Amino acid sequence: MPEVLIIGAGPAGLAAATAARRAGARVVVLDAAEDVGGQYWRHLPQQRPAGREEVLHHGWERFTGLRRELTGVEIVTGAQVWLAERHDGRPPTVHILVGPADGADRVRRVFDPGALVLATGAYERTLPFPGWDLPGVFTAGAAQALAKSERVAVGRRVLVAGAGPFLLPVASSLIRTGARVVGVLEAGGWSRLGRAWTARPTELLSASHKAGELAGYARDLVRHRVPYRVATGVIAAHGHDRVEEVTVARLDAQWAPVPGTSRRVAVDAVCVGHGFVPRSELAVAAGCQTGPDGTVVVDADCRSSVPGVFAAGEITGIGGADLALAEGTIAGTVAAGAAPTSAQRRDVLVYQRFATRLSDGHGIRPGWAEWLADDTLICRCEEVTAGELRDIAAATGSRGLRSLKLSTRAGLGVCQGRVCGRSVEELLDRTTGGLLDPGRTANRPLAGLVRLGELARTQGDPS
Amino acid sequence: MRVVVVGAGIVGAAVARELAGAGVTVTVLDRAASAGGTSAAGEGNLLVSDKGPGPELVLAQRSLTLWQSLRDELPDFPSVEYEAKGGLVVATTTAGAAGLRRFAESQRGAGVLAEEVDPHDLEPDLTRDYTAAFHYPQDAQVQPAIATEALLAAARRRGAEVRQGVEVLGPISLHGRLAGVRTSAGDLHADHVVVAAGPWSGEVSSRLGVMLPVRPRRGTILVTTRMPQRIRHKVYDADYVGAVGSDDAALQTSSVVESTASGTVLIGSSRERRGFDGRIEARVLSALAAKAMVLFPFLADVAVMRAYGGFRPYVPDHLPVIGPDPRLAGLWHATGHEGAGIVLSAATAELLADLLLGRETHVPSSPFAVERPTLASHLASSV
Amino acid sequence: MTTTGPARLEAADDPVSPGPTSEIAIVVDGSEIRGLAGQTIAGVLLAAGRQSWRTTARQGRPRGVFCGIGVCFDCLVTVNGLRDVRACQRHAADGDEVSTDA
């Protein structure tokens, strides 16, 4: 039985693993992917190793350094955690299936760790817009993942849109994968971005290599003459069975489209991301307290509200890889029973301030609902439209998300509301005059698909 | 006449609709949102097949008749997904077959349609290893949360008011009788108060001054991904019949497998008494999966995407409590339906309204009375 | 080669300099599609210029990759008879039989 079990092998998880190992703990790291690195350090597979992976990654040497330090740590890749069984006052029992993704004969393993570090990261939030279900519309993260691990460009003529600094590395990766990027559109306006990026410049200086990293991406855009527009967004995608054009419009300070500013742009792919959602279902299942934005509440030692359960990285607040590394170091150290240095603690504070600025500048504004049409899909899985959501909410008069999910079917599909959950909640919250049970879409006791045959197999003793 | 109904689940909704239809001024209160508790956590069973002869079966049979008209009452509403799909009860052991035949025979004497069949005519993918199978054509299904909302909407259409997020804090007493409720949103005066709060009815009753032994009995359901339909009836193993009436606190599972209108398959159901502990446990999920695969071996490769649980309102003698509380004038109960609240809501509402309005009842009321002998010891012992 | 839609960058043109690898072939709805060892099924399909492969249950609309990291389940395929496999997460094995009509 491990002393420290870590879920997630991205920056936070790897930093936690190496820190816990240095502190002398027996460490096991789980990750669903077939290699470590997480989404941030996603790279070409072992069967096809890259000669110059650093072309696509800032801080690649930090990753290779961490990877070298993993000696003595048990790494379980291809590990789907499907259940965290809550206990009172101690870490949950963690149930995993190991094998090919979504396979039927994976090996079932069970862990009862002394301490658990949740480093499950985040995934992208893409706001719905008319036509966003057309093939050729991708999340920005999809473009990034396919570029990094497949060397596939999602299109030849690609528009990148949404909000936040993540759009810049995505555009950069697309360029380096052979696509022509016809523009990067940031929904935030200069006034908000400017306030976020220029106030209290000393805070930025202390995280200056972050700013330098972004400047590097910006140089890529300039060199390839990619226009970068602020206060602008993609508000519709058009095409018969694939995207052929998108409608682009100026957005006001609340992100509502400004009338008379829309124009059509021909593309064969569009990559859209408006921010990130913490991957918090395991934390919720374990009983950890979460904040209104779904992030796991932690103290300065990365302790969650459940004794023995720690959280680090994006699930504690979207802050980027440097903050994740800094938090992972704290979490792994404390989980192993040691004390972090004051320099390690200072790192966290520096990057947290940087992260706060990003959310100040790029956070989602409510005007996005203005670009929806009645027939715009909100829930992609169950194909529930904005009009259906509104009409059924009006017909039932319910102020309960649970009931409205069942009567509209929004969020009941195979992704279990991971993609639409937040948007459904926001729209229903407005329609109903306030939901009485907000936050329910993050409640997913099963953290992944499990075959009944796998479930039925005797679970065996905790290992 | 003014009536407050506490609980916006299916029983409260049905009671509100029934009373409002009789001209009563009805206010429904729920401390949370509508259809947010037990009514949103089940399969939506409209079953007679699992009930032996007795008062509960009588109530269920009356309910099935009422559901025939309820299902089409709101044409402009999302479909309640009423489906008269029929039930198929399957025994897989020799002893189980004998028990099932005896049970079905007794039900037939009480007017239930039950026919021994070759199950593969009805369910081609069913296990070959069965020992007896009975078809119950009267069994049906609704989507329980939508059905609840539909009944609430019908109640509103008849003039009732539904107030969500309003919690009952205590009684308003006048001359020794209940004259309303104090709530988180102020006092609400009423001639009668009906507690229809499912497993939380005990808590609400005690706030109003009386003890009622309603307790939660936990159930868990698995939901698969969408697939082309291969299961056409409500199929369950004969063990279910025993589990429903059991007093055992330990985990019991029996398989109930069915397709929904959306193409998912629901797999129930476990029964466990452990208070309002809502944790999902691997051992429960494993047991459910294993039993379902006994009935339908093809399910082994099917993916489960969700597990959810809920609490059935459970009374020691396994019968609903419907009627006035003799200990406190003005207080009424409509609760304790265990796993059958969706079907029984219809006749429960009718019975309660008949009693409250002094009308002749459609079914005998005494088996469900608070003062029935089988409940007396529980009422006396724990005040 | 088409001039629109997704494409894999050839190793010779790739600044990342991918190492040599072996070819694999999978069968998609009866037709063979060639790919590289280590690719996901979605990677093989996209590299072959396929942008969509599934149709939705309610409206019959085409879907392919959306999130690319296993979250959205838009890219589901049937692999060797097993339904509900995320094409973006499952690594393609030589000889895999993939069907997209489920």
Side-chain angles (χ1 to χ4, degrees), chain A residues 404-426:
Chain A
L404 285 165
K405 279 173 70 179
L406 289 162
S407 53
T408 63
R409 296 206 56 77
L412 293 186
V414 65
C415 95
Q416 289 289 287
R418 287 174 172 88
V419 174
C420 72
R422 290 283 184 90
S423 301
V424 167
E425 283 200 37
E426 286 179 22

Side-chain angles (χ1 to χ4, degrees), chain A residues 64-86:
Chain A
T64 53
L66 281 171
R67 194 165 54 181
R68 274 194 302 276
E69 274 192 74
L70 290 172
T71 316
V73 172
E74 185 191 354
I75 311 278
V76 187
T77 55
Q80 172 71 55
V81 178
W82 60 274
L83 183 67
E85 252 176 339
R86 188 168 83 238

